[in-house]
Amino acid sequence: MEPGHECDVFALLAEKEMLTTKDGKPYIRVNFRDAIREIRFPIWSDTPLFDDCKQNWEPGEFYKLRTVYRITGFGPQLEIRKIRPVIEADKSEGFDPAQCRPSSRFAPESMYDEILALAKTHCGKGKLYQLVVQIFKNHRSAILDTAAARNHHHVFFGGLLEHTLMVTKTAVFLADMYLTNYPELRTRLSKPLVVAGAILHDIGKIRELHYDVVTAHHTTEGDLIGHAVLGRDFVRDFGREVELEPEIQMQLEHIVISHQRFADWGAPKPPMSLEALLVAHADSCDAMFGTYCRVIEKDDMPGEITTRKNILGYALFKKDGK
């Protein structure tokens, strides 16, 4: 939508919050979104929509709106003329839930297959490869859907797969670069372990996070235990199934529990092996890259610099001013 345009759109109501102004005037702040854009704006108590919004609008539900897109001093807003919940007949008019919620730009099934192809190419044909395949096949559905985080990066359907794929590709590049330029490291640096560790570094997030239609939430065990230790449990349990060599299993477990690097970030141990070091930095690079992109995409400030009021706490350079 362009400013001033009126049209019919489908959108997801992601948030609804009752608030009051400093003067005591009640209003409801709503957040409507599609797969790309989200818009937060008030429904004031003296408008015809207020009672309907208060009583009937439900976060997590899809709606058809006739609305005008406005740019105001408080940012983008929707001037809603008509609104109703989506009905079955709307599918014939183009309604698709996937277009109204944040999703990876890449097809999850394709990313899933590409990750397993990287494992087959770089992990060999032994038990390490079997371990990766067993975990992925046994948890295919969760791996396809899960987000990578609640707030910072890859916060969308398929986010965990997209993040894992990028981390694995980066880890392959780093391992190849160091093994090519420092051939004496071939007895110290295991590329199969690097790749398996990159693929499995965040596997615990399929138990740490629950991603509903609106957003990602921590599960109870996610809050109490954390994805690093939950991921180590996956490696340990499936390692027994495939009879993974104890030394390799121990090193793989270390990669998983140390990939966040610092105790304050949730790592029980810092990276203490070359393989763990490469995976940790590949993970950090993609996580920060995803966070920067999220801050820039969500920013509504005019000009080339974002607001400082974001999850990073400092402004970023948008370059194109959009």
Side-chain angles (χ1 to χ4, degrees):
M1 297 179 67
E2 296 296 328
H5 284 184
E6 177 181 298
C7 61
D8 292 344
V9 298
F10 297 111
L12 169 68
L13 177 60
E15 299 174 59
K16 186 179 86 169
E17 184 178 9
M18 288 290 304
L19 298 168
T20 57
T21 66
K22 293 180 180 179
D23 298 328
K25 181 180 180 180
Y27 69 98
I28 305 172
R29 185 173 63 192
V30 295
N31 175 10
F32 281 95
R33 70 160 305 129
D34 60 13
I36 299 173
R37 177 188 290 173
E38 59 181 343
I39 303 176
R40 290 181 175 85
F41 58 97
I43 304 293
W44 297 106
S45 58
D46 55 0
T47 62
L49 290 173
F50 182 81
D51 288 338
D52 186 32
C53 175
K54 181 179 179 179
Q55 298 173 17
N56 301 315
W57 300 7
E58 293 293 337
E61 295 293 329
F62 298 100
Y63 290 87
K64 183 176 182 180
L65 302 89
R66 178 163 295 171
T67 185
V68 179
Y69 181 60
R70 305 285 191 193
I71 299 294
T72 73
F74 300 98
Q77 296 190 11
L78 296 179
E79 182 182 314
I80 299 174
R81 305 287 173 81
K82 294 181 179 181
I83 180 171
R84 64 162 173 79
V86 163
I87 58 176
E88 185 67 25
D90 288 327
K91 292 181 179 178
S92 64
E93 296 185 12
F95 170 68
D96 179 358
Q99 296 178 351
C100 297
R101 62 190 185 192
S103 302
S104 173
R105 68 185 64 195
F106 309 111
E109 293 81 3
S110 297
M111 292 190 289
Y112 178 95
D113 292 341
E114 188 173 358
I115 289 171
L116 289 185
L118 287 168
K120 185 175 183 179
T121 299
H122 300 291
C123 293
K125 298 180 180 180
K127 295 176 181 178
L128 189 61
Y129 172 64
Q130 293 175 25
L131 171 68
V132 172
V133 172
Q134 284 281 80
I135 292 175
F136 263 59
K137 287 188 174 180
N138 277 267
H139 300 280
R140 176 185 173 90
S141 179
I143 291 171
L144 287 172
D145 287 343
T146 302
R150 290 187 304 168
N151 299 308
H152 286 74
H153 66 95
H154 302 86
V155 187
F156 45 73
F157 283 89
L160 177 61
L161 265 178
E162 184 176 320
H163 173 60
T164 299
L165 179 59
M166 298 306 166
V167 170
T168 304
K169 287 182 173 181
T170 302
V172 169
F173 169 80
L174 291 174
D176 284 341
M177 181 185 70
Y178 285 111
L179 288 170
T180 298
N181 289 281
Y182 300 90
E184 69 274 14
L185 292 178
R186 290 174 184 172
T187 59
R188 299 182 185 177
L189 175 60
S190 168
K191 184 179 177 183
L193 262 175
V194 170
V195 175
I199 292 172
L200 298 176
H201 80 283
D202 266 350
I203 193 64
K205 287 187 175 179
I206 66 174
R207 288 172 57 183
E208 181 185 53
L209 295 172
H210 168 69
Y211 195 60
D212 60 26
V213 74
V214 178
T215 187
H217 307 277
H218 269 162
T219 62
T220 300
E221 65 178 345
D223 273 325
L224 294 178
I225 300 172
H227 74 275
V229 176
L230 292 171
R232 191 282 307 269
D233 291 346
F234 275 110
V235 172
R236 179 164 291 185
D237 293 343
F238 281 87
R240 293 192 190 103
E241 286 190 19
V242 303
E243 299 181 340
L244 188 64
E245 295 85 348
E247 179 70 19
I248 294 177
Q249 179 166 320
M250 179 180 65
Q251 293 184 55
L252 183 58
E253 288 181 20
H254 174 69
I255 294 171
V256 172
I257 68 168
S258 68
H259 74 270
Q260 291 176 288
R261 292 193 292 162
F262 307 114
D264 287 349
W265 292 5
K269 283 284 186 178
M272 296 170 63
S273 67
L274 294 177
E275 294 87 359
L277 178 70
L278 295 188
V279 172
H281 281 283
D283 172 51
S284 178
C285 179
D286 189 63
M288 287 303 296
F289 189 86
T291 301
Y292 270 50
C293 289
R294 180 169 167 79
V295 168
I296 291 171
E297 289 166 1
K298 289 173 67 68
D299 185 74
D300 295 321
M301 294 293 290
E304 296 185 333
I305 305 298
T306 71
T307 176
R308 291 176 171 80
K309 295 180 180 179
N310 58 55
I311 52 181
L312 292 169
Y314 53 87
L316 297 181
F317 178 44
K318 292 188 286 188
K319 191 174 182 178
D320 58 4
K322 296 181 181 179

